[in-house]
Amino acid sequence: MLKNYFKIALRNLKKHKFYAFINILGLSVGVAVCMIISLFVINELSYDTGFKDADRIYRVKSEIIFGGNHWNMVLAPAPLAAALPENFPEIESAVHFRTRGSYLVKRVDENIKEQDVVWASKDFFKVFEIPMIEGNPDRVLAEPNTMAISESAAKKYFPNEAALGQSLILDNNQNFRITGVYEDIPKNSHFHFDFLLSAEGLGEAQRVAWLSNNFQTYFKLRENAGPDELVAKLPSLIKTNVEPEIRQVFGDGSTLETLISNGGKFEFDIQPLLDIHLKSDLMGEFEPNFNITYIYLFVAVALFILVIACINFMNLSTARSANRAKEVGIRKVMGSFRSHLIRQFLMESILLSCISFLIAMPLVSLLLPFFNELAGRELAVPFFHSGFYGILLLGAIGTGLMAGIYPAFFLSGFKPISILKGKVSMGMKSGLIRSSLVVFQFTVSIILIIATISVFNQLNYIQNKKIGFNKEQIITIDDMYALGAQVETFKREVLANSMMESGTITGFLPVSNTWRSDTPWWAEGKDPKQSENLVSLQNWTVDYDYISTLGMNIVAGRDFSIQYPSDSNAVILNETAVKNFGFDGDPIGKKIFMMSDSEELDLEDLQGRTVIGVVENFHFESLKENIGPVMIFPDKKPSGIASFRFHSSDTEQVITFIESKWKELAPGQPFTYSFLDDRFGNMYASEIRLGRVFATFAAFAIIIACLGLFALTAFTAEQRTKEIGIRKVLGSSVRSIVFLLSKEFTKLVVLAFLIASPIAWWAMNLWLEDYQFKIQLGWQVFLSAGVFAAVIALLTISFQSIKAATSNPVNSLKSE
C-alpha cells in the first residue's frame, strides 16, 4: 500500500510540473533559511557550555550610584575574589581579571600587537578548568612576572619547540616567564584570551582597594550550593569591607546608610556564566554579547518563513481541489476510506518536503558563507554529526505533515455525490482560509520590511546626528608608547607635511575601546565630606591641540593654550559636568578638586584645577547612553593614540607617509592605524549586522510569498480561461481583465498592510527603547513598506493577469 501511495504521489508531481516546481522552490528556500537560522540559534545558545561545571560558575556584577552617575557593570573591587571563598564556604574558588588593552609582544626582535591579553589571579584554572598542555594548573599563575599562553600562541611564538620555561617581552620592557600552555578557549565563549598574565604582578594598591572597581570577578559554587542564599549574604561583605574605606574618605560619621540616604547605592549581585552571552550588556564586558530577544525574534522569523512556504502548498492544494475532486469521488465510489485518501495526500506532501530538504542542503552550503559575513560568525553545517541526518529526516516529515495536513483533510472530505454532480466550488471566492493564509504571508513580509527600514533609518540617524565633534578625515595611530621619547618628534614631523591640518596625542577619544578614567571631584566652596557634593566624571588627559583637532565647540571661555603657563592646572568641562557641579553663576574661573585630595587634613591648602572653558556636549559612548560629565585637562607627556586631521583626498598617500615616519622613529614596531569614523561606526556593528540580516530575511519572505501568489494567480487565470475569452469577445479591454484578476489579491495585500502596521509599530518602538537618542517612527516608514509590498505583489500578479488577458479568445472557446 505504501509503495502504491508513493507511485501515485510521484505521478501527480510529474503531471503538475509547474505547481510542483513552485512548491518545491518555495519550500526549499524556506527550509534553507530556517536551517541557517537554526544553526545560528544553536551556536548562540551553546556559549560557555564548553567549560567544565559551567552551571556552577557565576560572575559578580555591581550597581553603583554615586556623584550623579549610575553604573551597572561587571567590574568589582580587586580584593573581592580572595574574600569570597574566605567568607562563604559554599564558594569553591574565585578568580578576577584586569584588562588593560592591547600589548606589543615579542620573543626577541619583532613586535606583534596582541589584543587578547588579560591579567588573571592564580585560581583561574580552578574556576575554568581548561585542559593544560604544559605546566601545573595549581602553580601556573602563582608568581609575579609569569604567564600562561594558549596553544595557538605557543605555536605562533615557539613553533616546533616547547614554550614552557621560555620568556616573552611585553611592551618592550616587561619580561614574562611562561609557566603554562593551555588549550585554546572555545570560540563560543564570551571571552577569549591567548595570554594570561599573573595578577600577582599588579601594584598593591590595585589589589587591596575596595572602592576601586576595575576587576571582573568569577567564582565556582560547590555542588548543591544555592546561589540565592549567597546573594543574601553579599550586603554583609560590603558593609564589612567597603564601609571602613567610606569612613576613611568621607569621615568617621559616614556609613553605607548615609550614602544610600543621599541617593547613593553600592550593591553586588551575581550572574550565571551561561546567561552572560545572551542576557548581559553591562559596562566592562570582555566582548560584545548577543541579545536573547534577538534569539526569540530569529526563531520566530525562521518559523514564519517556513510557514509561509508551507502556506504556498496549502493554498495551491486547496485551490486546485476541483482538479482532484473527480479522483476523490471515484476512489470513494470504488471503496476507498477517507483515511486512505488522507494518507495518500500526506504522502504527496511528505515526498515534496523530502525533495525540498534535499535541494535545501546545497542552498545552505551556498548561503552560509554570506550569512556568516552578515552575522560575524563561523557557522558550519554538521555533515559529519551522527544525529544530523536523523534530525533532517524528522524535519522533512514534520514539515510535510504541517504543509499537507489541512489539504489532506479538505480534499478527502469531498462527498462523492456532490463531486459527480459537478458541485465543487473553485477559485479564490470559495477559499476564506486560503485568503487568510495569503494575508498572513504578506503580514509577516511587511513587518520584516518595516523592521528593516526602521533599523537602517536609526543607523542613518546615528551616522548623521550632530555628535559634538567632527569624526571625518581623521586617521588614528595606536601604540604611541612604542615611540618612547620620540612621541612629540613624530607628531611634529607628521604635521610638517602639507597634507596634514592638525594633530593630537591622547588615549582618550570619543569612541569605544579607548581609554576611560572616572574619579569623583567637588566644586570649590562645597564640603567633600558630604557625598552629595561629589561629582563623578570622566577625567581625560589630552594635549593642547585636542579640542581643535577633533572639531569640538567651545561654548564658554577658551581652549588650552601654550601661551598661558597656568593652563597646566586648568580644566575644560562639558555642559553636563557644569550642570552636575551646580556652579553659582558663570563656571569660568571656578575651581574643582579631586576626591583623593580630601584625605588631606587642611583643605584650604589644596590647589585644585581652574575651569577655563566649557565644551559643547559630545557623545563618547553609544547613543544608547546619555551624555555623561567629562573634564579635560593637559597632559605633560601625552601618549596612547595619535590622531591627525588631514585634508588630502588621497588617503593611501596619507597612510604611506605616516607609516614611513613611523618606521623611521620606531623600527621593528608594528604600525597600526584606523580612521575615527570607522571606530565610531564599529560602536554600532551589531545594529548594522541586524539591519542586514533583517533585510535578507525580508527579501526571502517576500520572494516565497510572491511565489505562492504567482502560482495562485496562474491557477485562477487558468480556471477562468473561458470567462476571460467570453469577456474579450463581448468587448472587455485588457486593462479591465487585468483589474478583474488582480483586485482580489490586491485587497488581501492591503488588508495585510493594515494588520502589519500596528504590530510593526509596537515591535520597533520596543527595540528603540534601548536608545536614548533615536528616530521617531513616521508614517513614511509604513507607507514605504506598504507600497513596496504592493508593487512587488502587483508585478507578480500582473505577469499572469496580462498573459491571460492578452491570450486569443478563440483558443479558449473553440471547444464550446
Side-chain angles (χ1 to χ4, degrees):
M1 182 66 76
L2 195 63
K3 183 179 179 182
N4 184 54
Y5 290 154
F6 180 78
K7 282 183 178 180
I8 295 172
L10 203 57
R11 189 182 303 139
N12 274 308
L13 291 179
K14 289 180 179 179
K15 183 178 179 181
H16 304 286
K17 293 183 178 66
F18 172 73
Y19 299 109
F21 172 76
I22 293 293
N23 277 326
I24 290 172
L25 178 62
L27 200 54
S28 298
V29 173
V31 168
V33 173
C34 191
M35 287 177 63
I36 289 172
I37 296 176
S38 298
L39 290 173
F40 176 77
V41 169
I42 291 169
N43 179 72
E44 298 305 298
L45 293 175
S46 69
Y47 262 67
D48 295 315
T49 56
F51 293 117
K52 185 181 178 182
D53 301 322
D55 59 326
R56 292 198 282 130
I57 300 175
Y58 293 80
R59 180 175 71 179
V60 177
K61 63 179 183 177
S62 307
E63 183 179 7
I64 299 173
I65 300 175
F66 183 74
N69 286 329
H70 187 178
W71 296 284
N72 283 293
M73 55 187 180
V74 302
L75 303 173
L80 180 63
L84 286 173
E86 289 177 2
N87 289 272
F88 306 118
E90 58 265 50
I91 292 179
E92 188 175 298
S93 53
V95 61
H96 64 209
F97 302 100
R98 177 77 158 95
T99 57
R100 286 183 166 178
S102 61
Y103 284 80
L104 297 178
V105 180
K106 66 180 179 180
R107 185 178 179 184
V108 181
D109 298 318
E110 193 73 20
N111 267 315
I112 300 174
K113 186 173 182 177
E114 299 285 0
Q115 301 286 351
D116 298 325
V117 184
V118 70
W119 298 78
S121 55
K122 57 186 176 63
D123 286 339
F124 172 83
F125 291 99
K126 292 181 180 179
V127 178
F128 299 97
E129 296 184 42
I130 301 171
M132 295 290 295
I133 298 172
E134 298 180 64
N136 180 354
D138 295 330
R139 294 291 305 162
V140 69
L141 298 173
E143 300 176 10
N145 300 320
T146 59
M147 70 186 327
I149 63 176
S150 69
E151 184 179 8
S152 293
K155 291 178 180 178
K156 181 177 180 180
Y157 288 91
F158 306 97
N160 304 318
E161 58 180 305
L164 192 68
Q166 305 212 50
S167 296
L168 289 173
I169 302 169
L170 274 63
D171 288 347
N172 298 314
N173 58 11
Q174 302 177 65
N175 196 301
F176 283 83
R177 179 169 53 87
I178 297 170
T179 53
V181 177
Y182 56 89
E183 289 186 4
D184 289 351
I185 294 173
K187 289 183 178 180
N188 57 340
S189 304
H190 78 282
F191 59 64
H192 300 88
F193 309 129
D194 284 327
F195 302 86
L196 296 173
L197 312 182
S198 171
E200 297 299 313
L202 292 173
E204 181 69 15
Q206 289 180 305
R207 292 191 285 116
V208 299
W210 279 88
L211 284 181
S212 178
N213 296 277
N214 294 310
F215 289 75
Q216 293 96 330
T217 302
Y218 295 74
F219 63 88
K220 180 186 286 188
L221 284 177
R222 298 187 186 279
E223 291 186 27
N224 302 319
D228 294 336
E229 292 80 356
L230 175 65
V231 171
K233 299 176 183 178
L234 291 177
S236 62
L237 182 71
I238 294 173
K239 188 171 182 64
T240 302
N241 295 280
V242 176
E243 193 164 86
E245 292 193 16
I246 292 177
R247 289 197 185 98
Q248 181 182 355
V249 174
F250 298 111
D252 292 337
S254 299
T255 63
L256 276 172
E257 286 72 19
T258 58
L259 180 70
I260 294 169
S261 65
N262 290 324
K265 192 174 189 178
F266 198 113
E267 290 183 359
F268 293 144
D269 200 352
I270 64 175
Q271 290 178 300
L273 176 69
L274 298 177
D275 283 355
I276 291 174
H277 179 64
L278 293 177
K279 298 181 181 179
S280 182
D281 184 22
L282 302 175
M283 176 183 173
E285 299 282 359
F286 283 120
E287 299 174 9
N289 292 322
F290 204 63
N291 192 321
I292 188 67
T293 303
Y294 293 158
I295 292 294
Y296 298 143
L297 186 61
F298 285 178
V299 169
V301 168
L303 291 175
F304 282 145
I305 288 177
L306 187 60
V307 168
I308 286 173
C310 291
I311 286 172
N312 286 347
F313 179 84
M314 295 179 192
N315 279 347
L316 285 175
S317 297
T318 55
R320 294 172 54 243
S321 58
N323 292 5
R324 303 293 298 272
K326 287 183 181 179
E327 176 192 342
V328 172
I330 292 171
R331 282 175 176 274
K332 284 194 171 184
V333 168
M334 297 299 292
S336 286
F337 293 109
R338 188 181 184 187
S339 59
H340 295 163
L341 294 171
I342 289 173
R343 285 198 289 268
Q344 171 62 53
F345 293 131
L346 285 178
M347 174 59 73
E348 291 181 18
S349 65
I350 290 172
L351 176 61
L352 185 142
S353 176
C354 289
I355 295 171
S356 298
F357 267 73
L358 288 174
I359 296 173
M361 291 308 301
L363 271 178
V364 171
S365 299
L366 188 66
L367 295 173
L368 198 56
F370 173 70
F371 181 81
N372 281 336
E373 186 177 347
L374 283 181
R377 295 293 188 267
E378 296 180 12
L379 306 179
V381 182
F383 287 114
F384 302 106
H385 193 280
S386 57
F388 176 64
Y389 296 98
I391 293 172
L392 276 186
L393 181 60
L394 289 175
I397 294 171
T399 302
L401 290 173
M402 182 172 65
I405 194 74
Y406 169 66
F409 278 90
F410 177 79
L411 294 172
S412 65
F414 289 151
K415 295 180 179 179
I417 295 176
S418 299
I419 294 168
L420 298 177
K421 286 183 178 181
K423 295 181 179 178
V424 180
S425 58
M426 298 184 301
M428 285 294 295
K429 291 182 179 178
S430 64
L432 178 60
I433 294 179
R434 194 158 58 249
S435 299
S436 301
L437 293 175
V438 171
V439 169
F440 175 80
Q441 285 181 309
F442 277 90
T443 297
V444 172
S445 301
I446 292 169
I447 289 172
L448 289 174
I449 293 170
I450 292 172
T452 300
I453 295 173
S454 301
V455 170
F456 279 109
N457 281 354
Q458 175 66 13
L459 290 173
N460 185 61
Y461 170 80
I462 289 169
Q463 293 295 330
N464 294 290
K465 183 186 183 298
K466 185 179 179 182
I467 54 176
F469 65 96
N470 182 4
K471 63 182 184 297
E472 308 298 330
Q473 296 285 99
I474 292 183
I475 185 172
T476 61
I477 316 299
D478 293 338
D479 308 319
M480 284 296 101
Y481 55 83
L483 291 167
Q486 304 273 39
V487 172
E488 286 297 333
T489 303
F490 175 74
K491 177 183 174 182
R492 186 170 57 253
E493 292 193 7
V494 169
L495 290 177
N497 190 291
S498 59
M499 295 185 294
M500 302 299 165
E501 185 177 321
S502 60
T504 183
I505 295 177
T506 176
F508 294 96
L509 293 174
V511 290
S512 60
N513 296 320
T514 57
W515 294 357
R516 295 292 181 265
S517 177
D518 194 287
T519 309
W521 292 64
W522 81 91
E524 186 177 22
K526 296 188 177 181
D527 184 3
K529 301 292 185 182
Q530 301 296 320
S531 60
E532 64 269 22
N533 291 329
L534 294 173
V535 175
S536 187
L537 72 168
Q538 287 290 317
N539 312 163
W540 291 12
T541 55
V542 303
D543 66 10
Y544 284 81
D545 301 313
Y546 183 81
I547 300 287
S548 59
T549 299
L550 293 184
M552 294 177 173
N553 182 31
I554 297 289
V555 295
R558 62 176 177 83
D559 193 1
F560 299 118
S561 173
I562 57 175
Q563 305 298 323
Y564 296 90
S566 60
D567 278 4
S568 60
N569 282 321
V571 66
I572 294 175
L573 303 177
N574 73 344
E575 293 170 305
T576 301
V578 172
K579 179 182 177 182
N580 288 4
F581 274 117
F583 293 114
D584 295 327
D586 188 359
I588 305 303
K590 300 291 175 59
K591 284 192 174 184
I592 60 173
F593 304 87
M594 190 165 67
M595 188 186 75
S596 59
D597 292 85
S598 64
E599 296 176 13
E600 300 289 339
L601 294 177
D602 190 355
L603 297 179
E604 295 181 0
D605 289 341
L606 296 177
Q607 185 177 7
R609 290 188 175 272
T610 303
V611 179
I612 64 166
V614 178
V615 67
E616 181 183 12
N617 274 345
F618 57 91
H619 291 275
F620 57 92
E621 300 292 353
S622 164
L623 265 67
K624 291 182 178 180
E625 309 294 336
N626 281 317
I627 298 176
V630 180
M631 60 176 290
I632 301 170
F633 53 90
D635 188 357
K636 295 178 181 178
K637 294 182 178 180
S639 187
I641 301 170
S643 302
F644 296 103
R645 181 174 295 282
F646 59 93
H647 48 68
S648 171
S649 58
D650 190 345
T651 306
E652 288 298 325
Q653 187 178 0
V654 170
I655 296 169
T656 302
F657 166 71
I658 297 177
E659 185 176 11
S660 67
K661 289 298 177 184
W662 177 273
K663 289 180 177 179
E664 285 180 19
L665 298 172
Q669 306 298 335
F671 175 73
T672 309
Y673 73 91
S674 59
F675 295 95
L676 192 62
D677 55 348
D678 289 339
R679 284 179 178 250
F680 181 82
N682 289 339
M683 295 164 66
Y684 306 97
S686 61
E687 285 83 357
I688 293 171
R689 285 197 296 267
L690 180 67
R692 289 173 178 170
V693 169
F694 264 127
T696 305
F697 291 161
F700 280 122
I702 200 82
I703 287 169
I704 296 169
C706 286
L707 279 173
L709 198 59
F710 179 81
L712 275 178
T713 310
F715 179 76
T716 303
E718 177 187 317
Q719 293 297 310
R720 302 177 73 171
T721 301
K722 288 183 173 61
E723 176 191 345
I724 293 167
I726 293 170
R727 286 178 179 274
K728 290 194 73 175
V729 168
L730 294 176
S732 291
S733 64
V734 172
R735 180 185 297 177
S736 64
I737 293 173
V738 170
F739 177 76
L740 176 71
L741 294 174
S742 304
K743 66 178 182 179
E744 293 182 28
F745 295 105
T746 305
K747 288 177 183 177
L748 299 180
V749 176
V750 171
L751 179 59
F753 169 73
L754 295 176
I755 296 171
S757 294
I759 298 173
W761 180 87
W762 169 80
M764 296 317 298
N765 271 297
L766 196 64
W767 177 70
L768 287 168
E769 282 182 1
D770 287 341
Y771 292 87
Q772 297 296 328
F773 302 88
K774 56 196 172 188
I775 59 169
Q776 295 297 319
L777 291 175
W779 58 267
Q780 298 92 336
V781 172
F782 300 92
L783 183 62
S784 300
V787 169
F788 178 76
V791 168
I792 295 296
L794 283 172
L795 289 173
T796 304
I797 297 166
S798 297
F799 178 82
Q800 289 292 349
S801 300
I802 294 171
K803 181 181 177 182
T806 54
S807 63
N808 190 341
V810 173
N811 295 329
S812 59
L813 299 175
K814 63 184 178 181
S815 62
E816 296 298 316

